[in-house]
């Protein structure tokens, strides 16, 4: 959390003291760093993540106008620290990037072949057809509860791999002086990056000084220190010269730590009154050796499993060469869509609407349901219920008409509910409400947008 002194109150809004400078385009971000005598660098890595360098037309690139240096960076094979690459340095980023277009590299991709979107979908489908590899949660007797249900609803959902796509591409400026290095970087995790740089260059951490710049969008991507290590490794090849490494937009999407893909087979049982009585989720995602990839974990305390007596969550893993990472609200940004969409199907099967189903699951009496792990916040049913009831009131909710929809999502200690109302005349105009409660503090907002 930033020091409160870095903020000032304007009306009912909190505005950072940097806001005027940001709106005026003043140099605050990592991409704005400029040092005397600085060279600009681009780094070409294998299109298949993890491929190793074999050869390249380095001499031809060195002979191009404006090019100062061209050399190979030998990595350790780990995306978190350093993959093999070819660095091109020039007095302008544009000329370095133009030279990259003429670069011809031979990569050894034998160890990372066979992965594709279509291949992942095929492997996931096969995994869903098999028995699950691991049980994450097993409450009550799910099999009996499903067998005794009046209706059983099943569905399969897929969640795509996503890149963060931050507005400011990854970048770092570094100055290596032989026995120390100075770094300017928009990082969310400077200490982790410092450790990675120390290991890569064989320096003590005390010899690494990091200037923490403004970040043009992090969302979990800048928790990883790969771009810091890359800039440091390039700067170490030209001691005494500041070097700024800047990703192109193509680099940004190709060399991300992606949100992991996920595939779900969901099953629910409802009784004659449409009440949810049992829930099962077989969750397939990336991982190896029995452990899910970074950011691909599923918590045992997800809704509705944490609200039912009979619930089971199971997991199976498929292989990937892609580095994965956390995307803002790491679990719920993927699970929220899947679980609430499925619960809407369950509600419809029972002749009800989603708000009614959710309110019934939460119950009349406020309860605190402990989180399923040390990083999982407790779930407050009373807080969630009050949010749902408030947004239904604001949206004048009268059931699932053709012009209204309701969705809910719980993320960490915040419960949020959105109600979308009416279509207006000849233009598709949407009015929306959002009500949140975080740590007991309510907040409400209303927004209108016009769609021609």
């Amino acid at each position: 959390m930033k020091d409160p002194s870095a903020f000032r109150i304007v009306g009912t809004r909190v505005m950072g003291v940097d806001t005027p400078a940001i709106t005026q385009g003043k140099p605050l971000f990592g991409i704005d760093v400029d040092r005397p005598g600085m060279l600009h660098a681009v780094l070409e890595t294998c299109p298949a993540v993890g491929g190793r360098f074999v050869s390249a037309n380095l001499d031809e690139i060195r002979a191009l106008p404006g090019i100062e240096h061209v050399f190979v960076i030998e990595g350790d094979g780990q995306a978190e620290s350093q993959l093999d690459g070819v660095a091109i340095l020039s007095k302008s980023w544009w000329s370095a990037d133009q030279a990259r277009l003429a670069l011809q590299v031979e990569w050894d991709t034998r160890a990372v072949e066979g992965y594709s979107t279509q291949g992942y979908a095929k492997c996931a489908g096969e995994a869903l057809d098999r028995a699950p590899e691991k049980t994450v949660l097993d409450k009550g007797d799910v099999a009996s509860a499903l067998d005794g249900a009046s209706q059983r609803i099943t569905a399969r959902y897929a969640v795509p791999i996503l890149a963060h796509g931050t507005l400011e591409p990854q970048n770092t400026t570094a100055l290596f002086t032989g026995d120390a290095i100075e770094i300017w970087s928009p990082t969310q995790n400077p200490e982790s990056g410092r450790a990675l740089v120390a290991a890569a260059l064989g320096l003590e951490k005390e010899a690494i000084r990091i200037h923490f710049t403004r970040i043009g969008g992090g969302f979990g991507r800048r928790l990883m220190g790969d771009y810091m290590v890359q800039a440091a490794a390039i700067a170490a090849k030209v001691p005494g010269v500041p070097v700024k490494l800047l990703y192109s937009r193509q680099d940004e999407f190709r060399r991300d730590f992606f949100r992991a893909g996920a595939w779900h087979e969901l099953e629910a049982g409802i009784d004659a009154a449409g009440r949810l009585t049992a829930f099962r989720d077989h969750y397939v995602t990336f991982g190896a050796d029995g452990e899910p990839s970074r950011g691909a974990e599923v918590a045992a305390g997800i809704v509705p499993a944490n609200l039912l007596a009979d619930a089971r969550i199971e997991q199976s893993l498929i292989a990937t060469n892609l580095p994965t990472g956390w995307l803002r609200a790491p679990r719920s940004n993927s699970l929220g869509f899947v679980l609430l969409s499925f619960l809407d199907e369950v509600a419809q099967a029972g002749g009800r609407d989603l708000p009614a189903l959710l309110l019934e699951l939460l119950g009349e009496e406020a309860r605190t349901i402990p989180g399923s792990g040390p990083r999982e916040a407790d779930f407050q049913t009373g807080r969630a219920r009050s949010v749902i009831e408030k947004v239904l009131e604001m949206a004048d909710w009268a059931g699932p008409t053709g012009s209204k929809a309701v969705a809910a999502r719980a993320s960490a200690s915040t419960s949020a509910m959105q109600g979308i109302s009416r279509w207006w005349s000849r233009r598709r105009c949407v009015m929306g409400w959002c009500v949140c409660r975080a740590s007991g503090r309510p907040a409400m907002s209303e927004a209108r947008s016009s769609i021609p």
Side-chain angles (χ1 to χ4, degrees):
M1 178 65 185
K2 262 199 165 183
D3 185 337
S5 64
F7 295 86
R8 57 192 170 96
I9 305 298
V10 180
T12 58
R13 298 182 180 181
V14 178
M15 183 170 73
V17 295
D18 285 344
T19 300
I22 292 171
T23 57
Q24 294 171 47
K26 293 187 176 180
L28 299 169
F29 298 86
I31 200 171
D32 298 321
V33 172
D34 190 15
R35 307 299 299 169
M38 186 175 74
L39 293 179
H40 297 262
V42 298
L43 181 66
E44 181 73 0
T45 59
C46 183
V49 179
R52 305 307 299 257
F53 175 83
V54 177
S55 64
N57 58 335
L58 304 183
D59 289 336
E60 291 180 25
I61 303 303
R62 290 189 185 102
L64 293 175
I67 301 306
E68 299 283 331
H69 302 280
V70 181
F71 44 77
V72 175
I73 296 294
E74 184 177 351
D76 59 7
Q78 302 299 313
E80 293 87 342
S81 47
Q82 179 75 340
L83 297 172
D84 287 5
V86 177
I88 303 173
L89 279 63
S90 176
K91 291 181 180 178
S92 78
W93 183 85
W94 175 256
S95 61
D97 195 53
Q98 287 298 295
R100 175 162 52 168
L101 298 177
L103 186 63
Q104 299 174 14
V105 188
E106 180 185 352
W107 304 99
D108 181 356
T109 61
R110 289 173 296 178
V112 292
E113 291 175 350
Y115 298 107
S116 67
T117 300
Q118 294 79 11
Y120 293 139
K122 180 175 182 294
C123 289
E126 292 170 349
L128 289 175
D129 289 336
R130 297 192 298 267
E133 297 173 355
K134 177 182 179 180
T135 299
V136 177
L137 171 73
D138 194 6
K139 292 170 59 180
D141 188 344
V142 175
S144 296
L146 288 171
D147 287 341
S150 294
Q151 287 190 67
R152 294 174 69 159
I153 301 94
T154 60
R156 286 189 176 184
Y157 281 79
V159 177
I161 300 163
L162 284 185
H164 292 79
T166 58
L167 181 60
E168 178 193 22
Q170 309 312 308
N171 67 88
T172 290
T173 301
L175 173 60
F176 182 70
T177 56
D179 56 359
I181 190 166
E182 195 168 3
I183 291 172
W184 295 259
S185 188
T187 172
Q188 290 178 263
N189 196 348
E191 188 58 30
S192 173
R194 188 184 191 201
L196 289 169
V197 170
L201 301 189
L203 296 173
E204 296 295 326
K205 288 197 293 184
E206 291 72 23
I208 301 167
R209 184 181 182 187
I210 297 176
H211 300 270
F212 186 28
T213 69
R214 272 275 179 182
I215 298 172
F219 318 118
R221 170 61 179 96
R222 297 182 205 267
L223 290 169
M224 314 308 298
D226 54 308
Y227 53 96
M228 295 176 66
V229 180
Q230 293 159 11
I234 295 170
K237 295 279 192 176
V238 288
V241 179
V243 176
K244 180 194 283 186
L245 171 68
L246 173 64
Y247 281 21
S248 68
R249 185 54 65 187
Q250 291 90 334
D251 294 333
E252 185 65 32
F253 281 87
R254 185 161 61 93
R255 285 155 48 182
D256 202 351
F257 284 76
F258 301 89
R259 184 190 74 174
W263 295 261
H264 297 257
E265 183 174 76
L266 299 145
E267 187 170 14
I270 57 177
D271 63 16
R275 291 185 291 261
L276 181 62
T277 57
F279 172 79
R280 182 185 73 87
D281 182 6
H282 182 186
Y283 171 72
V284 176
T285 189
F286 298 133
D289 301 322
E291 294 298 325
S293 299
R294 183 189 297 106
E297 307 89 349
V298 61
I302 60 174
V303 176
N306 62 340
L307 300 172
L308 291 171
D310 298 294
R312 183 184 300 141
I313 301 171
E314 301 156 324
Q315 187 176 68
S316 296
L317 303 175
I318 60 176
T320 183
N321 68 318
L322 289 179
T324 63
W326 300 281
L327 182 64
R328 179 62 63 86
R331 295 175 183 169
S332 60
N333 74 49
S334 170
L335 292 171
F337 159 75
V338 171
L339 297 174
L340 269 297
S341 296
F342 179 63
L343 287 180
D344 190 48
E345 291 193 52
V346 173
Q348 290 185 48
R352 318 173 74 193
D353 60 35
L354 180 59
L357 179 68
L358 292 172
L359 290 171
E360 185 175 79
L361 281 170
L362 292 168
E364 295 285 348
E365 183 180 347
R367 295 171 291 152
T368 298
I369 301 175
S372 59
R375 300 186 66 181
E376 293 296 321
D378 294 346
F379 184 80
Q380 307 289 343
T381 62
R383 181 182 301 168
R385 185 180 185 89
S386 67
V387 168
I388 294 172
E389 289 173 339
K390 184 61 180 178
V391 82
L392 294 180
E393 174 192 333
M394 293 170 67
D396 191 25
W397 180 259
T401 66
S403 62
K404 296 182 181 179
V406 170
R409 181 165 71 90
S411 174
S413 59
T414 302
S415 299
M417 186 65 133
Q418 294 176 326
I420 299 175
S421 185
R422 60 187 77 119
W423 300 81
W424 284 350
S425 88
R426 297 171 59 188
R427 305 183 73 190
R428 293 171 57 190
C429 295
V430 178
M431 178 182 291
W433 296 268
C434 179
V435 180
C436 305
R437 287 184 63 119
S439 304
R441 297 186 297 274
M444 294 175 285
S445 66
E446 176 178 324
R448 299 170 187 257
S449 65
S450 297
I451 307 171

